[in-house]
Amino acid sequence: MIFLTALPLFWIMISASRGGHWGAWMPSSISAFEGTCVSIPCRFDFPDELRPAVVHGVWYFNSPYPKNYPPVVFKSRTQVVHESFQGRSRLLGDLGLRNCTLLLSSLSPELGGKYYFRGDLGGYNQYTFSEHSVLDIINTPNIVVPPEVVAGTEVEVSCMVPDNCPELRPELSWLGHEGLGEPSVLGRLREDEGTWVQVSLLHFVPTREANGHRLGCQASFPNTTLQFEGYASLDVKYPPVIVEMNSSVEAIEGSHVSLLCGADSNPPPLLTWMRDGTVLREAVAESLLLELEEVTPAEDGVYACLAENAYGQDNRTVELSVMYAPWKPTVNGTVVAVEGETVSILCSTQSNPDPILTIFKEKQILATVIYESELQLQLPAVSPEDDGEYWCVAENQYGQRATAFNLSVEFAPMLLLESHCAAARDTVQCLCVVKSNPEPSVAFELPSRNVTVNESEREFVYSERSGLVLTSILTLRGQAQAPPRIICTARNLYGAKSLELPFQGAHRLMWAKIGPVGAVVTFAILIAIICYITQTRRKKNVTESPSFSAGDNPPVLFSSDFRISGAPEKYESERRLGSERRLLGLRGEPPELDLSYSHSDLGKRPTKDSYTLTEELAEYAEIRVK
């Protein structure tokens, strides 16, 4: 806004130059609305010594030199003017007072141009002044907007129109100022070069919404139809505001993702996509798209869009959630424990969304949790039954992953019920079934013979392990007589356990004790009994008469009630003695563990000791037959 309070410069110059020099002073430029008038102020001077009786003057258009025959605007001597200025020009000033002010009316665009004044004092005292005034014919008011209008800061917008026509005075009004503020009119102001303007001011605090607003000013002249309007668009500067942004985005692993950020600002902002402080993309634009190809879980997280210009900045974030199947679970915890200890096992994984975690063993669910990434399994006092393979399974709607792990429970040996001995003919086999962890050492003890056989003697002991169960088999051949007591002992670093192995299958054991010779003896006894019964019946039939009563029948003697004293006990003691001798001989010599003696050995005994159970039974059978 121009505020003018000083006197025109050219009047000061005129006052200072009085002293007899040729010179003229007029505004270098002046403007007026088409159809109105304009008064071009003008002062001139000449040397004092000339003292002309009459002073004349001429106004030329666009050229100061008469020889060029420029159009005459006004001529005081003849009143002859160019046709374009007929009826339009007259002199307002008094040339005798050195005032050459010119009035032009009914202005039209062709009258715009340069105007020169020439002083005519008579004779050769004529002078064309180089100073001139440029007339500008306008059709719109001049709206002056500050070079920078910032949102939130009060501004002053002015409407200025020329007021150099003494016949017509303009009136100003604002157009489109609703919501901006109330105008205030300052009135008529004088400019530096002696021209006049009408000024109206509008004060307001602009907002970002006012950017681009079309503000108008109207100049009208009372009692005429003349109206002139001018408009200016407000260029309001304001900081960025992000107006367009994705909400939270969910994407499946491997898919394509587009993140859009748009901001409103003036001037346009610098948009930047960032993640964890790293710039991913930036550009000066109203919107910026970030493309992510085949997203992975590593790209899951918060993305930030930053918009900034010289007037401020704004930022917003968007969360990208990459959905994916659980990773292979990891197991951290105790995998080896001693019986009775507390075991804690942690199974963890990563997925989106969080999975259902389950720990099970042999299809039995032990622990489960929903929508958690960790699962803790607590076994307060582990037992051998807890030993084995476990599975941790993680699953969500995008897939399933599982991890197997083993829990090894260490405990003292336990002898299972399957442990026993069995005899078949001349062979005895003993099974010692042991459950333990770690693997035990197993030994078979024959207390009656003071013999211990362990796993290192592979000729007699065979061992096989299946999981936590160890089966050791002791095989004794040549056992024609009753087998000895056998004790199985299992031992590891947690303790030892012993068990006397029971014999299973009594009928098998009986035949094993009797052996092939015993079978012959038994057969002979049966024949003797049959013969005895037959003979008894015959005698009864011969001697029987009607006078006999039932109570006179002789008693029947069964073979089971008859025993030969001495012979079996003698045989048994000798058999045990011979077996023990052979077992004792085993300790000094490596094995063949044959605990019986052969029939040839029996034949080699003295005649007194060769009285066997078989011979006794045969002799008894012969007596009864006779």
Side-chain angles (χ1 to χ4, degrees):
M1 179 60 220
I2 304 175
F3 294 95
L4 305 173
T5 57
L7 292 175
L9 178 61
F10 73 94
W11 294 120
I12 299 174
M13 294 176 63
I14 290 174
S15 300
S17 60
R18 288 189 183 273
H21 297 287
W22 290 99
W25 294 265
M26 64 186 72
S28 61
S29 64
I30 193 169
S31 59
F33 284 105
E34 182 180 358
T36 64
C37 66
V38 63
S39 172
I40 303 176
C42 176
R43 300 282 296 180
F44 70 96
D45 198 10
F46 52 84
D48 292 337
E49 63 269 16
L50 295 180
R51 300 179 182 214
V54 179
V55 177
H56 291 281
V58 181
W59 280 93
Y60 291 113
F61 182 63
N62 280 338
S63 178
Y65 303 112
K67 63 180 181 181
N68 293 334
Y69 301 102
V72 176
V73 177
F74 173 81
K75 190 172 184 180
S76 61
R77 281 184 182 274
T78 61
Q79 303 294 320
V80 176
V81 298
H82 189 272
E83 60 182 355
S84 299
F85 295 96
Q86 288 182 359
R88 292 182 172 184
S89 62
R90 64 189 177 95
L91 192 67
L92 293 182
D94 184 352
L95 296 178
L97 298 177
R98 304 180 188 187
N99 187 339
C100 52
T101 300
L102 176 68
L103 176 66
L104 298 174
S105 59
S106 300
L107 296 177
S108 59
E110 67 269 16
L111 300 186
K114 298 177 181 180
Y115 288 82
Y116 294 88
F117 178 72
R118 178 180 176 83
D120 182 3
L121 304 184
Y124 294 101
N125 297 320
Q126 298 182 13
Y127 189 84
T128 301
F129 299 98
S130 60
E131 294 82 359
H132 62 277
S133 185
V134 178
L135 175 62
D136 183 20
I137 309 299
I138 62 174
N139 288 298
T140 59
N142 180 28
I143 299 177
V144 180
V145 179
E148 184 176 76
V149 178
V150 180
T153 303
E154 185 181 38
V155 296
E156 178 186 274
V157 179
S158 61
C159 176
M160 303 177 65
V161 296
D163 190 9
N164 296 307
C165 178
E167 300 172 355
L168 297 173
R169 298 295 183 191
E171 293 182 354
L172 299 179
S173 61
W174 287 94
L175 305 175
H177 70 286
E178 296 80 6
L180 296 179
E182 292 300 323
S184 60
V185 179
L186 289 183
R188 191 166 181 256
L189 297 179
R190 190 175 190 180
E191 297 180 297
D192 291 341
E193 293 186 331
T195 58
W196 295 85
V197 292
Q198 280 279 1
V199 179
S200 178
L201 303 179
L202 185 64
H203 292 266
F204 62 95
V205 178
T207 63
R208 67 176 57 248
E209 290 76 18
N211 183 47
H213 182 79
R214 197 161 179 258
L215 186 64
C217 179
Q218 183 184 77
S220 59
F221 294 87
N223 303 321
T224 70
T225 59
L226 297 175
Q227 284 187 344
F228 303 93
E229 296 179 354
Y231 292 90
S233 293
L234 296 179
D235 183 19
V236 181
K237 309 296 184 182
Y238 54 91
V241 173
I242 295 177
V243 295
E244 187 176 11
M245 188 100 171
N246 300 82
S247 57
S248 295
V249 177
E250 289 187 357
I252 300 175
E253 182 178 10
S255 63
H256 174 84
V257 174
S258 296
L259 300 179
L260 178 64
C261 177
D264 173 36
S265 73
N266 186 27
L270 172 65
L271 291 177
T272 305
W273 275 108
M274 303 178 69
R275 180 171 180 261
D276 297 333
T278 301
V279 175
L280 304 177
R281 190 183 180 195
E282 64 179 359
V284 176
E286 293 182 354
S287 64
L288 185 63
L289 195 64
L290 178 63
E291 304 278 356
L292 301 176
E293 302 288 345
E294 298 183 356
V295 292
T296 65
E299 293 173 292
D300 186 287
V302 177
Y303 290 76
C305 176
L306 176 65
E308 58 183 336
N309 64 11
Y311 300 95
Q313 65 177 23
D314 189 22
N315 67 83
R316 283 178 59 185
T317 60
V318 58
E319 184 173 358
L320 172 61
S321 182
V322 179
M323 318 301 285
Y324 57 97
W327 292 359
K328 186 177 179 64
T330 58
V331 177
N332 298 321
T334 305
V335 292
V336 177
V338 178
E339 181 179 12
E341 289 183 345
T342 297
V343 171
S344 178
I345 296 173
L346 178 66
C347 175
S348 62
T349 186
Q350 185 175 329
S351 71
N352 194 9
D354 285 331
I356 298 174
L357 276 172
T358 304
I359 295 178
F360 65 87
K361 178 188 179 191
E362 297 175 356
K363 299 183 179 179
Q364 180 182 1
I365 294 176
L366 303 179
T368 187
V369 68
I370 298 176
Y371 304 138
E372 296 287 345
S373 59
E374 292 184 350
L375 174 58
Q376 187 100 18
L377 175 63
Q378 289 280 355
L379 299 175
V382 293
S383 63
E385 286 70 24
D386 295 319
D387 190 284
E389 185 181 55
Y390 291 72
W391 284 88
C392 178
V393 179
E395 60 181 331
N396 62 13
Q397 61 264 44
Y398 299 102
Q400 181 188 82
R401 295 296 297 274
T403 296
F405 62 94
N406 288 300
L407 172 60
S408 179
V409 179
E410 296 186 343
F411 54 93
M414 295 187 298
L415 295 172
L416 305 185
L417 296 177
E418 295 90 328
S419 302
H420 68 281
C421 289
R425 295 192 178 185
D426 62 344
T427 302
V428 173
Q429 276 195 336
C430 294
L431 275 70
C432 185
V433 184
V434 185
K435 185 176 183 181
S436 75
N437 188 20
E439 183 177 344
S441 60
V442 176
F444 294 91
E445 182 182 358
L446 288 69
S448 61
R449 299 175 187 178
N450 198 23
V451 173
T452 300
V453 182
N454 57 40
E455 295 171 293
S456 63
E457 300 179 73
R458 297 186 180 277
E459 186 176 352
F460 309 109
V461 179
Y462 168 75
S463 295
E464 183 179 65
R465 185 175 177 87
S466 176
L468 298 178
V469 178
L470 175 69
T471 302
S472 290
I473 303 174
L474 172 66
T475 302
L476 302 177
R477 295 181 178 84
Q479 290 295 304
Q481 316 306 322
R485 291 171 55 234
I486 299 177
I487 298 174
C488 174
T489 300
R491 179 179 284 103
N492 67 9
L493 58 91
Y494 297 107
K497 191 73 173 178
S498 297
L499 175 67
E500 182 174 345
L501 302 178
F503 277 84
Q504 292 184 353
H507 62 286
R508 294 182 181 177
L509 181 59
M510 180 187 73
W511 288 111
K513 288 180 179 180
I514 294 176
V517 176
V520 174
V521 172
T522 304
F523 181 71
I525 293 173
L526 290 174
I527 293 175
I529 293 172
I530 292 171
C531 291
Y532 173 75
I533 294 172
T534 302
Q535 212 173 36
T536 303
R537 285 182 178 178
R538 284 178 182 175
K539 288 180 180 180
K540 183 179 180 181
N541 291 334
V542 172
T543 61
E544 188 178 35
S545 65
S547 62
F548 287 166
S549 64
D552 297 329
N553 288 335
V556 178
L557 179 67
F558 295 96
S559 61
S560 60
D561 296 331
F562 183 84
R563 288 185 177 89
I564 301 175
S565 61
E569 289 81 357
K570 180 181 179 182
Y571 166 77
E572 186 67 23
S573 62
E574 290 181 353
R575 186 181 65 81
R576 282 199 299 266
L577 181 60
S579 298
E580 290 171 358
R581 287 173 179 170
R582 291 192 176 272
L583 280 174
L584 291 171
L586 267 176
R587 297 195 171 180
E589 302 174 2
E592 184 176 299
L593 191 57
D594 188 353
L595 301 181
S596 68
Y597 49 81
S598 65
H599 292 293
S600 59
D601 292 334
L602 287 173
K604 293 179 182 179
R605 292 186 179 186
T607 304
K608 182 179 179 180
D609 298 330
S610 62
Y611 191 76
T612 65
L613 178 59
T614 303
E615 291 170 340
E616 291 173 358
L617 291 175
E619 181 179 347
Y620 167 72
E622 184 178 354
I623 292 172
R624 296 303 297 166
V625 170
K626 289 180 180 180

